[in-house]
Amino acid sequence: MSSRALRRLKGKPRGQEAVAIGELTLTVSPDEVAESEGEELETSGVSPPSHGNVNTRKSKKNKDRKNMCAIFEMISDKEKDSADEDPEKLDGNKSLETEHSDSKENSGQMPNEPVSSVKKKKKKKKAKVKSENVKEALAPDDNIDLLLENLEQSNGLTLQNDRGTSDRRPILHVEHRNLNPETELKRYFGSRAVLGDQRPRQRNRPFHRNTWMTSPKDSWPRFSRPGISMTLLESKDVIQYFTFEHGRDYQQVQFKFFDAVESVDPNNIVALLQLNPYHTDSLLQLSDVCRIQEDQEMARDLIERALYSFECAFHPVFSLTSGNCRLDYRRPENRAFYLALYKHMMFLEKRGCPRTALEYCKLILSLDPDSDPLCMLLLIDFLMLRSRQYQSLLQLYEDWEEHRNLSQLPNFAFSTALCHFQLSQQEGIEPQESDKAKHKADRMLQDALIMFPGVLMPLLDLCTVQPDATVTSHAFFGPSSQFGQPPALAELTALYVGRMYSLWREAAVMLWLEECVKEVLCRIDAKDSLVEDCKNKRKQRYQSAPRNIHRHVLLSEIKEATSSLPLEVTTQPMMGFDPLPPLDSVVSYTRPERQHVGASNESTLSLFFRSLLPNFNLQAGLRQEDDLEVARAGQELNQEVNRLMVAMRDMLANIRFQEPPREDQFRDEEEWD
C-alpha cells in the first residue's frame, strides 16, 4: 500500500507529515520519526533497506514536502533559506556525497539517532561558514563606500564653491517646481485649499502638452502650431545661443497685427485672435487692454496662453534651468518672450507668490545676463526680500559686485543693509552672530544714506512718517538733496522708493533707520571724508541712464519713476508689445510699405476723421512730389482749426444758461390767487 493510502487510513491531512529539518521552525521528535518509519515498513511488507537508500529516498520526499508545506513557512525562514539556496544548488553533487558518507558513519556508531538531526547540525555549520565568508567578502566593499562618503562630505563644499566661482552665476539656478505658483500656494495654505475647487479631469477634454511654466486650461482653444519655431544659432564653450523664428504664415498674421494696432481699435485685435488664438503679440497687446479695463483675470489668462505658445515651440536642447541658454533681445522675435515672462512675473507678485516671481526673475536674467535688456537687477533684490531669501541676496551681491558694481545702485545699497538687519532679528540666532549682523547693517545703511541722501525724505513721505525737525532742517537731507541730484539718479531713486517703501514700514525697521540717520548727521557734522567723496561720485556719474533702465521704468508703471523719465523717452510712441526697442535691432524680415502717406504729413482734421474712421485717408491720391505742398497746406489748416477751436472755447465759456423756474413759485402764485 502506498504512503498516500496510509495517510488516508490514519486520517492525517495532507501536508502534516514530518518535514526536512531547516524548512520549518518546529522540528519533529526522533521517536515519532522512528515509529512512522516502522509502520511504513510493516504495512508494505518489505525488509528494511540500507541507510544509504533511505537517505536518497528521504531527500526526494523532503523536496516534495518542501513544495507542499511552503505556505506554512514563516517569511523570515523563507528569506534565510533563499539566501542559502543558490550556493547549495551549485554544490549539490558534493552535498549528496557527503550526506551518504555521513549516513554510513552514523549508522555504525549511532543507530538510534535520526538522519534529520544530523542534517540540521551540518546545515548550521555550513550557515556559519557561509556567513563568515560573506562578511569577509563584504568588508572591503563597505570600507570603500565609507571612504567615498567621507570624500564627498569633505570635498562637497569645495567642489561647489569652485564651480560657483568658475560660473560666477550660481545664483541664477532655476528649479522647475518653483516655476509653478501652486507649489508656493500649497506651502502657505495647504494642498486641500489650493486644489479643492478643481474638478477632476474629463475624458473628452482637449489634449494639451505638459509644460513647466503654465498649465493649459480646458477653456483655451485647441492648440495648433501658430508658426513659431526655435533654432540653435551657435554654441560657445558651454553657452548656447537660440532664437525664435516666424514662418511665412505667421509673418502675414504679424502684418495684420500691425494694422490692427494702428487702427487704435481693440476689436480688430480680438477679431485677429479669433482666427489665430495663439498669436503672441496679439495676446500681449490685448492683455494690456484688459488690465487697463481692470479685468485682471482675463489679462493674466492671455499672458499664460502666450507663454504656453512659446514653450511649445522650444528647441529640444533649450533648457529653462541650466542657465546656459541665451536669447538676443535685439531680435524682434525674441522680445515677446521676454515681455511675456516679465508680465507673468508681475502678476505672480501681485497674486502673493513672491518666491515663484523670483524664479521667473532669475530666468529672465539668465537669458541675457550681460546686457540685461529688462534690467532685472533693479527688481531681483525686492523679490528676494519679499520671499525672505536673505542668503541668496547676499550671495548675489558678493558674486556680482566685482564685475557689475552693484553698490552703485541705490536698490542694492539699501537692500543689502536691510537684509543684514533682518538676519540679525531672526529667532534662534546666537547673540554674537546677531550683534555682528546688526553692526554690519548699521555701517552699510549709513554708507547708503551718505551716498544717496535723496532716498530718505521720499521714503518717509510714502511711509507716512513725520521726520524729526533736526533732519528736515539739515542741509544734507533737505530739498537740495532731491533737486540737486542728476537725472539718472533721480530716476533710480524714485523707482526704488516707489517699489520698496512697503518693506520699510515695519516698526523695528523704522527705529533702526532713525538711529542710523542720527549717526549719519553726526558724521556729517564731524566732516567725514566719505561725505565729500560720495558727493564727487554723484556729480561724475548718473548723468544719463541707459535704455534698458528706461524700459524697466516703463514696464514697472510706478508713477514716481515714470514722472522722472526724460523728454526724449516720453515723446516717443510707446507700444505695449515692444516698448523702447533697441537702436541696434537685428531685423530678419520687414513689413511692406503702406500705400498712403504717413501720419506725420496729415492734418489735424484728417487725424480727427481717421480716429472716427480708421480707413479714412484724405491724401490717398496725392503723389510723392507734392509732399511739400501737402505739408504747407496741412500747417495752414492746422492754424485755421486751432483758431476755430479757440473761438468755440470762448463762445462756450460765455454762454449762460437760464435756470428754469421752480415749481414752488407757481404753487405760491396759485395759492395767492
Side-chain angles (χ1 to χ4, degrees):
M1 187 179 292
S2 64
S3 60
R4 184 178 299 176
L6 285 174
R7 283 198 304 271
R8 291 178 180 176
L9 289 173
K10 291 179 181 180
K12 293 182 179 180
R14 186 178 180 181
Q16 296 296 325
E17 300 173 2
V19 190
I21 303 299
E23 303 299 333
L24 292 177
T25 56
L26 298 177
T27 58
V28 184
S29 62
D31 298 335
E32 294 178 356
V33 174
E35 289 177 2
S36 62
E37 288 177 358
E39 288 174 358
E40 290 178 0
L41 293 173
E42 289 175 0
T43 54
S44 59
V46 181
S47 61
S50 62
H51 289 284
N53 297 330
V54 172
N55 289 332
T56 55
R57 193 188 306 170
K58 283 197 173 186
S59 63
K60 294 179 180 179
K61 285 185 178 181
N62 289 335
K63 289 182 180 178
D64 298 334
R65 290 169 183 171
K66 179 180 178 181
N67 295 331
M68 288 188 296
C69 302
I71 56 175
F72 300 100
E73 292 178 1
M74 298 180 66
I75 296 175
S76 59
D77 295 332
K78 200 172 185 179
E79 292 174 354
K80 291 179 181 177
D81 293 337
S82 63
D84 296 335
E85 280 177 4
D86 295 333
E88 286 180 2
K89 289 179 182 179
L90 294 173
D91 300 331
N93 297 327
K94 295 181 181 180
S95 62
L96 287 175
E97 292 176 0
T98 54
E99 285 175 5
H100 283 294
S101 61
D102 293 337
S103 62
K104 289 179 182 179
E105 293 176 0
N106 293 331
S107 63
Q109 294 177 2
M110 300 175 64
N112 295 329
E113 185 176 357
V115 182
S116 58
S117 62
V118 178
K119 283 187 178 180
K120 184 177 181 181
K121 293 179 182 178
K122 292 293 181 181
K123 279 195 174 182
K124 285 184 178 180
K125 291 181 181 179
K126 288 182 181 179
K128 289 181 180 179
V129 174
K130 289 174 184 175
S131 63
E132 291 176 358
N133 294 334
V134 169
K135 288 181 180 179
E136 292 176 359
L138 291 176
D141 294 339
D142 293 341
N143 294 333
I144 291 173
D145 293 338
L146 291 174
L147 289 174
L148 290 175
E149 289 179 1
N150 294 331
L151 287 173
E152 288 176 358
Q153 291 177 359
S154 61
N155 297 334
L157 294 176
T158 56
L159 288 173
Q160 187 176 1
N161 292 333
D162 293 339
R163 179 174 149 194
T165 53
S166 62
D167 294 344
R168 289 200 309 173
R169 298 183 183 95
I171 197 63
L172 299 183
H173 174 68
V174 179
E175 296 182 5
H176 277 135
R177 62 185 183 90
N178 290 330
L179 292 175
N180 189 1
E182 292 184 358
T183 304
E184 187 173 4
L185 293 175
K186 288 177 185 177
R187 194 183 307 124
Y188 295 152
F189 308 107
S191 58
R192 183 176 297 179
V194 176
L195 303 176
D197 297 336
Q198 294 186 4
R199 299 178 180 178
R201 295 184 176 181
Q202 301 176 359
R203 291 184 178 180
N204 296 327
R205 71 185 188 93
F207 172 76
H208 292 289
R209 177 182 173 182
N210 292 328
T211 53
W212 290 109
M213 293 187 294
T214 57
S215 55
K217 301 178 182 178
D218 297 339
S219 59
W220 289 359
R222 185 176 181 84
F223 179 76
S224 60
R225 294 287 179 180
I228 303 179
S229 61
M230 178 183 281
T231 58
L232 176 62
L233 296 178
E234 59 178 348
S235 298
K236 294 181 180 179
D237 297 333
V238 190
I239 307 300
Q240 296 174 334
Y241 295 88
F242 296 87
T243 183
F244 286 100
E245 290 185 349
H246 294 170
R248 292 184 178 179
D249 295 337
Y250 194 90
Q251 292 178 10
Q252 298 299 324
V253 177
Q254 193 76 4
F255 298 152
K256 294 179 182 179
F257 167 72
F258 292 149
D259 295 339
V261 171
E262 290 181 356
S263 67
V264 200
D265 188 3
N267 294 322
N268 295 333
I269 302 177
V270 174
L272 184 63
L273 277 176
Q274 290 178 354
L275 299 176
N276 305 276
Y278 287 93
H279 182 252
T280 55
D281 287 338
S282 299
L283 292 171
L284 294 176
Q285 190 71 20
L286 190 60
S287 175
D288 291 341
V289 175
C290 294
R291 186 171 49 82
I292 293 173
Q293 296 177 355
E294 298 183 356
D295 191 356
Q296 302 294 332
E297 189 68 24
M298 188 63 185
R300 186 177 64 187
D301 186 77
L302 293 172
I303 295 297
E304 291 179 358
R305 200 197 301 181
L307 284 177
Y308 180 76
S309 178
F310 277 117
E311 193 167 1
C312 291
F314 280 173
H315 193 274
V317 187
F318 185 81
S319 175
L320 295 171
T321 59
S322 64
N324 299 325
C325 299
R326 301 288 184 265
L327 284 175
D328 192 357
Y329 191 81
R330 295 177 302 171
R331 297 180 177 271
E333 296 86 353
N334 298 333
R335 296 172 196 166
F337 183 59
Y338 275 92
L339 296 174
L341 288 174
Y342 183 89
K343 293 179 180 181
H344 185 58
M345 175 193 64
M346 297 308 297
F347 278 122
L348 290 172
E349 192 272 330
K350 294 177 182 178
R351 190 181 175 186
C353 300
R355 183 67 182 85
T356 311
L358 173 62
E359 213 70 13
Y360 279 93
C361 181
K362 293 192 292 185
L363 174 59
I364 298 172
L365 188 56
S366 67
L367 293 177
D368 195 354
D370 296 329
S371 60
D372 192 10
L374 298 186
C375 207
M376 303 309 296
L377 287 177
L378 299 178
L379 177 64
I380 191 170
D381 60 313
F382 169 69
L383 296 175
M384 285 182 174
L385 287 174
R386 281 216 52 195
S387 58
R388 300 181 180 180
Q389 300 291 321
Y390 302 129
Q391 296 296 338
S392 300
L393 177 57
L394 297 179
Q395 183 182 356
L396 175 65
Y397 182 77
E398 293 174 0
D399 294 346
W400 288 41
E401 168 62 20
E402 182 179 357
H403 64 284
R404 297 298 289 268
N405 294 327
L406 297 182
S407 59
Q408 302 303 313
L409 295 174
N411 59 318
F412 271 95
F414 284 90
S415 295
T416 50
L418 182 59
C419 181
H420 282 289
F421 176 77
Q422 295 292 351
L423 287 174
S424 66
Q425 302 297 316
Q426 286 184 345
E427 298 180 357
I429 190 174
E430 296 182 358
Q432 296 179 355
E433 295 292 333
S434 178
D435 295 340
K436 184 179 178 181
K438 178 67 166 52
H439 178 70
K440 193 171 184 178
D442 294 343
R443 181 177 56 82
M444 294 184 72
L445 182 58
Q446 292 173 16
D447 294 344
L449 288 171
I450 293 174
M451 183 65 190
F452 306 106
V455 174
L456 180 62
M457 299 307 293
L459 181 62
L460 295 178
D461 188 15
L462 288 179
C463 293
T464 63
V465 175
Q466 184 66 29
D468 193 85
T470 56
V471 178
T472 55
S473 60
H474 202 281
F476 190 75
F477 293 113
S480 60
S481 63
Q482 301 178 21
F483 297 109
Q485 56 186 353
L489 182 58
E491 186 177 349
L492 292 174
T493 300
L495 179 67
Y496 177 76
V497 171
R499 176 176 285 157
M500 298 286 294
Y501 73 94
S502 60
L503 298 179
W504 291 84
R505 278 183 171 179
E506 299 179 8
V509 176
M510 273 296 163
L511 292 175
W512 168 60
L513 179 61
E514 183 181 0
E515 296 175 0
C516 292
V517 168
K518 292 180 179 179
E519 187 65 27
V520 167
L521 292 178
C522 295
R523 292 176 61 180
I524 293 171
D525 295 337
K527 296 183 179 181
D528 193 345
S529 60
L530 182 63
V531 179
E532 191 66 23
D533 187 17
C534 292
K535 184 178 181 180
N536 295 330
K537 288 181 180 179
R538 288 195 301 271
K539 289 181 179 179
Q540 296 175 2
R541 304 170 184 174
Y542 312 106
Q543 294 300 322
S544 61
R547 199 172 180 85
N548 59 344
I549 293 181
H550 297 326
R551 191 181 298 118
H552 179 86
V553 171
L554 289 173
L555 291 173
S556 65
E557 297 182 353
I558 297 175
K559 295 180 180 180
E560 293 82 4
T562 53
S563 60
S564 61
L565 286 171
L567 291 176
E568 60 267 15
V569 176
T570 56
T571 54
Q572 293 183 12
M574 297 297 168
M575 297 295 178
F577 64 93
D578 191 9
L580 283 183
L583 300 177
D584 55 347
S585 299
V586 180
V587 181
S588 59
Y589 64 94
T590 56
R591 180 186 178 188
E593 296 182 358
R594 301 291 297 272
Q595 297 296 329
H596 62 81
V597 183
S600 59
N601 295 331
E602 294 183 4
S603 62
T604 306
L605 187 61
S606 176
L607 291 174
F608 173 72
F609 283 111
R610 272 195 76 191
S611 64
L612 300 177
L613 301 173
N615 296 325
F616 175 79
N617 188 9
L618 182 63
Q619 303 170 354
L622 298 179
R623 295 174 297 174
Q624 294 182 357
E625 55 268 15
D626 297 335
D627 289 344
L628 295 176
E629 297 180 2
V630 170
R632 293 173 184 173
Q635 291 178 359
E636 294 177 358
L637 183 60
N638 287 334
Q639 294 177 1
E640 296 295 332
V641 170
N642 290 331
R643 293 174 184 173
L644 179 62
M645 294 296 294
V646 171
M648 291 181 63
R649 190 181 297 111
D650 294 339
M651 181 182 66
L652 293 174
N654 295 327
I655 292 177
R656 295 290 183 270
F657 295 98
Q658 184 179 3
E659 295 182 359
R662 294 179 300 177
E663 296 181 357
D664 298 339
Q665 297 179 356
F666 294 104
R667 290 178 181 176
D668 294 340
E669 292 177 357
E670 291 177 356
E671 289 177 359
W672 284 107
D673 292 339

